[in-house]
Amino acid sequence: MGGVRTFLLAVCILFSSAQLSAGVTRHYKFDITLRNATRLCRTKSIVTVNGQFPGPRIVVREGDRLVVKVVNHVRSDITIHWHGIRQVQSGWADGPEYITQCPIRTGQSYVYNFTTAGQRGTLWWHAHASWLRATVYGSLVILPKRGVPYPFARPYKEVPIILGEWFNADPEAVIAQALRTGGGPNVSDAYTINGLPGPLYNCSGKDTFKLKVKPGKTYLLRLINAALNDELFFGIANHTVTVVETDASYVKPFDAEALVITPGQTANVLLHSKPTFPNAAFLFAARPYATGQGTFDNTTTAGVLEYHNPNRASTKLPLLRPALPSLNDTANVTNFTSKLRSLADDRYPSDVPRTVDRRFYFTIGLGTDPCPTNQTCQGPNGTKFAASVNNASFVFPSTALLQAHYYNQSNGVYTTDFPDIPPFPFNYTGTPPNNTFVSKGTKVVVLPFNTSVELVLQDTSIQGIENHPMHFHGHNFHVVGQGFGNYDPVTEPCNFNLVDPVEKNTAGVPVGGWLAIRFRADNPGAWLMHCHIDLHLSWGLKMVWVVNDGPLPNQKLPPPPSDLPRC
């Protein structure tokens, strides 16, 4: 009898463990539709998901499967990217147009099917076609598995804070005009918090996000920078926050009065409300960190932090504003990013590659294209603005690159001669060369499965030094080093952090400096790496890593789904 009880107990334990790890399948439907939206006293038609701006919040648990049917009811082609999702063995669901799929045409649909295995934290989703992500975006929250606690005290409440960018004009028309003329685009008219500009803009007092809190509580703010083209400082008046996560990876907690968050990045912070009613209300605000030479939206978005006080009648309270860093405070940015360290403990160890199979050195930055004959261009000295990686300005193919790779039909789609090092060496952060023209092409790097890679990203002074937030699809990477000036391959590796480097999917390359990252190419597919400033993406600051299959069945990319859009 005792043996039976032991057997049944073992079965129950195994069943419970399976339930804990298996996850569930969650279904969503995204209808891409137009709706009117009014901001800054102007009404215009915007592209949305299910008529919502920002779009629907997705909440799942680690290990869940997501099945999202996207139906396109608008005239623009569209795709959806699940920013930060690894897409292991589901590369067909990653979303960038002409890389993993052709766009979803008007009247067509596509089902994105993927899991969140091995991931937890704040991520997001957005359109990945042209500039449609100006209004097509939303949060994707992955909670820990049931019974698994946060590595910090459980918060009283969790609140998504999505920073965005609002254009009175049609963003698609803005980028189309810029690409046609070769000049810089018109900038946005406001920044937003959860779709609302806030009280610091004219005609926007009612369009303000308000966060009501109780004294003596801890709130988890899930921050996302969904702005198209601007890195942003964020802070709360008379409050510090504790940073506990970035890009869905836990970090060693540290306090900050202000954060910098680039387009594409996410951060989880703990807000500890004051122990008693403070007799004041507080603005939380975001404004740009600007390093380039072009024009930018020099405005500030704000929301209101209000304390709940049941013992006092409603009265007008003083409204305090945060002291955000100055627009070009690179020292503040460096101080903040240098504090980001992974937990690197027994539960969440760091898996940074200690040895390296391949090393790459990529220059990133702006450049120029010649002005076409019989056209007047508005770029530098009558040229057109461009951007590149190792002087290669990426051109999207006319069919999906991943399909060409999968069916071994790369001829005429892409070439595998992307340079490992800059083809034209110069003093990258000093005086730029006279010839600033970029080369055009669809070049990729091919990596064998499980290759360990060290990549140094080097900013350049061509058309001005600038901070570039680089995003890597399909992989996380470890930031092992960063600095200013030109990277020195002899001295700098001695200072690399191989103990607890922060794990990211998007990281800023310092203005006039370099960033060193390591990753393991353990995810077969075709993976875009690009600047998450969409203007630079549009100008060609992107490239693709093609990772070949491994020898085992779970190391191979499966065939494409039957409803994959065709070009």
Side-chain angles (χ1 to χ4, degrees), residues 262-283:
T262 76
Q265 287 183 340
T266 66
N268 280 5
V269 302
L270 298 176
L271 167 64
H272 306 286
S273 63
K274 297 183 181 300
T276 59
F277 183 74
N279 286 309
F282 307 89
L283 288 183

Side-chain angles (χ1 to χ4, degrees), residues 180 369-377 382-384:
R180 184 173 59 254
D369 279 332
C371 189
T373 305
N374 300 322
Q375 181 180 338
T376 300
C377 294
T383 62
K384 302 181 78 170

Side-chain angles (χ1 to χ4, degrees), residues 60 62-63 121 123 126 173 179 194-195 216 304 307 317 321 327 340 348 356 387 400 455 528 552 560 566:
V60 299
E62 178 185 349
L123 296 174
H126 60 81
L179 295 177
N194 291 344
V304 178
Y307 276 76
L317 297 172
R321 295 182 61 165
L327 295 169
L340 296 171
Y348 302 102
V356 173
L455 167 64
L528 187 65
L552 302 178
R566 308 296 177 184

Side-chain angles (χ1 to χ4, degrees), residues 367-445:
T368 56
D369 279 332
C371 189
T373 305
N374 300 322
Q375 181 180 338
T376 300
C377 294
Q378 298 176 4
N381 301 315
T383 62
K384 302 181 78 170
F385 272 113
S388 67
V389 181
N390 272 356
N391 203 53
S393 188
F394 189 89
V395 177
F396 281 124
S398 58
T399 189
L401 194 150
L402 182 57
Q403 283 181 277
H405 162 67
Y406 183 84
Y407 291 111
N408 197 26
Q409 297 174 346
S410 62
N411 188 34
V413 180
Y414 65 87
T415 60
T416 59
D417 56 343
F418 190 91
D420 292 7
I421 60 175
F424 308 110
F426 65 99
N427 181 5
Y428 303 117
T429 55
T431 302
N434 292 327
N435 182 0
T436 61
F437 290 151
V438 300
S439 65
K440 296 280 192 178
T442 309
K443 300 180 179 182
V444 309
V445 173

Side-chain angles (χ1 to χ4, degrees), residues 207-228:
D207 292 329
T208 300
F209 177 72
K210 294 183 178 181
L211 174 57
K212 296 187 178 182
V213 300
K214 294 181 178 180
K217 301 292 186 182
T218 298
Y219 294 79
L220 178 63
L221 306 184
R222 296 182 177 271
L223 299 172
I224 300 167
N225 186 351
L228 278 182

Side-chain angles (χ1 to χ4, degrees), residues 17-26 58-66 85 114-123 140-151 222 245 248 250 347-348:
S17 299
Q19 280 189 318
L20 188 66
S21 60
V24 301
T25 299
R26 302 180 187 274
I58 291 180
V59 181
V60 299
R61 288 195 178 275
E62 178 185 349
D64 285 353
R65 177 171 293 277
L66 266 170
I85 293 291
F114 55 91
T115 76
T116 59
Q119 295 188 265
R120 87 286 310 162
T122 301
L123 296 174
L140 199 174
V141 175
I142 307 175
L143 301 173
K145 293 179 180 179
R146 291 193 183 277
V148 178
Y150 293 127
R222 296 182 177 271
E245 179 194 298
Y250 295 131
R347 176 174 290 179
Y348 302 102

